[in-house]
Amino acid sequence: MAIYMKHMSCLFRWERAIFLSRGSGFNVECKRYVRGLRRKPVRVILPEYVKAPPAAIVKEKKDVKVQFRAAELERGDLTKTRTSSEISSSTKSANMVGKSDQIDGLRFERAFPGDKRLARLVSVARSRTFREQQGKVLLEGRRLICDALNAGAIPQTVFFSTADRLRELPVDQLRRATLVKVKFEDIKLWSDLVAPQGVIAIFSRPDASRLSFIDSTHSVPLSLICDNIRDPGNLGTMLRCAAAAGCHSVLLTKGCVDVWEPKVLRAAMGAHFHLPIYPSLKWEEVEDHLPKDVTVHIADSTSGSDPNRESQMNTTRAPSKPGDYGWVSVKPGHQKAHFEECDSESDSDSEYAGLSLPRVDAKLYHENWAQSPTAIVIGGETQGLSMEAVQLAEKTTGHRLFIPIVPDVDSLNSAMAASILLFEGRKQLLKAMQTSRRKWSSKAERQLS
């Protein structure tokens, strides 16, 4: 464009010189025309304009700026308006961030538009890897948060929708936490509950050794060991049953689902803060969390031989691998069955082929098996019990407990079987404790008489 205009100007000057030399009465003046583009105006610079002094260039630039500004005002450009609105909104947001209010002496912040703290913390708390690395857990609902605060858990951030929701919590125990008031729509968006309660809290990952449990006075010397429990709903129900039965503690071996999974928390209904729970334990560490004179029993679903074949066979068939163990039984006819050495030829694919399996006697669940400190091992529905669980039962002279059910029924749910065994164990332990008290009182009366 610049070259084209340069040639045109030279042509005009040449024609003007010809007309003037001939004495023509016409006065031709050369004018420069600048084409204004829609998107970006382009200013054409002529050769003589380039050689102009700097002062003239500065003046020309000022004139061009004035023209551009006038053109913008005529068009009613909205770009400047949008920029000013964005600046005003950002200034308003900055003022809202710095603004803080009080509720019953507690200072809280108001979440500004676009605040991503709730989304970021909820996303972190839902991932097991981030929970373990950052040491944070997510608790939702008034009851669960109150149980955690009463047990001594440390809150970090509490998101609430209204002041009434915050007043439902122990206010004195929230002074070290960051309180953020958000819209109920934001909580509903990130909530896992069908009916959100308007309060979500982020806690430091609780340590069972540092929590205080109120219901310890009603506990009995009974422990629950969860082995390969993969379903969150089953694990949460088992924790809830253990708390209701007054168990002394709950031990989770490696391979179980994370105890702080949101689904586990919902199913447990606050059981995490009613009894000690020790997760991700190796089998060498399990014995360290049990009393020295404890008896470990395992829940079994296999009953050895088939009743239809008992008339033809005098011996019972032992399970070939620990995976054959379960949590309930449909055939109660093997109370004195023992585990023999596996036949490597008959079960060459077995992981434990050629190994000598532990010898553990079977017993009905309602017989006397809980007369002293006791622990029950419940296996998962898919993996079953591990070899270490059976070995620990043999080492402590425990039994394989089974629940007889009607024929043509596969088995009970692991959580259901755990609840039956736990409450039966509680009943037997309480009866044994009452009997020991009577003996002690009668003996004391004889000595006094």
Side-chain angles (χ1 to χ4, degrees):
M1 179 64 72
I3 297 174
Y4 173 75
M5 296 301 296
K6 178 179 179 182
H7 287 290
M8 292 297 294
S9 61
C10 293
L11 179 62
F12 290 155
R13 287 199 301 272
W14 179 70
E15 292 178 353
R16 180 183 179 185
I18 293 175
F19 277 108
L20 294 177
S21 60
R22 292 180 179 179
S24 176
F26 296 97
N27 186 9
V28 180
E29 295 182 0
C30 181
K31 295 184 179 180
R32 292 184 294 109
Y33 295 92
V34 179
R35 181 181 179 183
L37 301 179
R38 292 184 180 180
R39 296 184 179 179
K40 186 177 180 181
V42 178
R43 182 162 57 92
V44 180
I45 303 176
L46 299 178
E48 61 271 15
Y49 183 77
V50 175
K51 298 180 181 179
I57 297 176
V58 173
K59 183 178 180 181
E60 182 66 21
K61 288 183 178 180
K62 290 183 179 180
D63 296 339
V64 171
K65 289 183 178 180
V66 171
Q67 293 176 2
F68 285 167
R69 181 59 179 172
E72 290 178 357
L73 294 176
E74 291 178 359
R75 291 195 309 265
D77 192 2
L78 300 178
T79 305
K80 300 297 181 179
T81 307
R82 288 196 298 267
T83 305
S84 61
S85 62
E86 292 176 359
I87 295 174
S88 62
S89 62
S90 61
T91 307
K92 184 178 179 180
S93 301
N95 295 332
M96 292 178 66
V97 172
K99 185 178 180 181
S100 62
D101 297 328
Q102 291 187 3
I103 297 178
D104 297 338
L106 292 178
R107 290 186 175 273
F108 68 91
E109 302 176 6
R110 295 181 182 271
F112 56 90
D115 194 339
K116 297 182 179 180
R117 283 179 291 180
L118 177 60
R120 182 170 60 253
L121 292 176
V122 170
S123 301
V124 168
R126 287 179 178 175
S127 173
R128 179 171 185 172
T129 304
F130 284 103
R131 282 197 301 266
E132 294 177 352
Q133 292 179 355
Q134 299 189 10
K136 297 179 181 180
V137 296
L138 182 144
L139 304 180
E140 184 177 359
R142 179 189 61 83
R143 181 176 179 179
L144 187 58
I145 296 176
C146 289
D147 291 342
L149 294 174
N150 294 330
I154 301 175
Q156 294 184 354
T157 309
V158 179
F159 299 93
F160 63 97
S161 58
T162 60
D164 294 336
R165 294 299 183 185
L166 186 64
R167 291 190 180 97
E168 294 176 352
L169 306 178
V171 179
D172 296 338
Q173 302 179 18
L174 296 176
R175 300 191 180 280
R176 294 183 296 177
T178 302
L179 308 180
V180 182
K181 188 176 184 298
V182 297
K183 295 181 179 180
F184 181 77
E185 288 75 12
D186 297 337
I187 294 181
K188 186 177 181 180
L189 177 63
W190 293 101
S191 175
D192 287 335
L193 302 181
V194 178
Q197 300 181 14
V199 56
I200 297 178
I202 304 297
F203 280 76
S204 301
R205 191 180 181 94
D207 187 0
S209 60
R210 298 181 180 180
L211 298 179
S212 58
F213 304 100
I214 303 175
D215 299 337
S216 59
T217 56
H218 302 284
S219 63
V220 293
L222 180 64
S223 299
L224 174 64
I225 303 175
C226 299
D227 185 19
N228 291 321
I229 304 297
R230 305 292 178 84
D231 186 80
N234 285 343
L235 180 58
T237 305
M238 293 167 68
L239 296 178
R240 186 176 181 182
C241 293
C247 288
H248 179 266
S249 60
V250 177
L251 312 180
L252 278 72
T253 63
K254 287 190 174 181
C256 292
V257 66
D258 185 18
V259 71
W260 299 108
E261 182 82 14
K263 293 182 180 179
V264 178
L265 288 168
R266 291 199 304 271
M269 292 294 292
H272 294 71
F273 306 103
H274 290 272
L275 78 167
I277 301 175
Y278 302 96
S280 301
L281 296 178
K282 298 180 180 179
W283 279 104
E284 297 79 10
E285 302 172 346
V286 170
E287 299 185 41
D288 299 336
H289 293 81
L290 296 174
K292 294 182 179 180
D293 55 347
V294 69
T295 303
V296 179
H297 303 280
I298 57 178
D300 185 13
S301 64
T302 59
S303 57
S305 60
D306 189 351
N308 297 328
R309 300 178 57 187
E310 286 184 354
S311 59
Q312 301 177 2
M313 301 177 60
N314 296 327
T315 59
T316 58
R317 179 178 59 83
S320 60
K321 57 183 182 299
D324 291 336
Y325 297 104
W327 41 92
V328 293
S329 174
V330 297
K331 310 179 188 69
H334 72 305
Q335 298 184 18
K336 299 300 180 182
H338 295 281
F339 301 141
E340 301 173 354
E341 185 175 356
C342 293
D343 187 2
S344 59
E345 296 181 358
S346 61
D347 193 11
S348 58
D349 296 334
S350 176
E351 181 183 356
Y352 302 96
L355 298 178
S356 178
L357 296 178
R359 295 176 176 270
V360 182
D361 293 336
K363 181 176 286 189
L364 287 168
Y365 80 100
H366 54 75
E367 295 181 357
N368 292 330
W369 50 269
Q371 305 297 322
S372 61
T374 307
I376 302 176
V377 184
I378 305 293
E381 297 182 4
T382 304
Q383 300 294 331
L385 294 172
S386 58
M387 171 68 82
E388 292 80 2
V390 187
Q391 292 176 348
L392 184 59
E394 181 193 32
K395 180 179 179 181
T396 59
T397 64
H399 295 83
R400 291 185 290 123
L401 305 176
F402 63 94
I403 305 170
I405 59 178
V406 298
D408 300 330
V409 177
D410 185 15
S411 63
L412 292 177
N413 179 272
S414 59
M416 181 63 68
S419 63
I420 294 174
L421 296 177
L422 289 176
F423 280 96
E424 179 64 26
R426 176 180 175 82
K427 184 185 73 173
Q428 295 183 14
L429 287 173
L430 291 176
K431 186 176 180 180
M433 293 169 62
Q434 292 176 0
T435 304
S436 62
R437 290 196 194 99
R438 291 173 185 173
K439 291 181 179 179
W440 181 83
S441 60
S442 60
K443 184 178 180 179
E445 289 177 358
R446 291 196 204 99
Q447 291 178 357
L448 292 175
S449 61

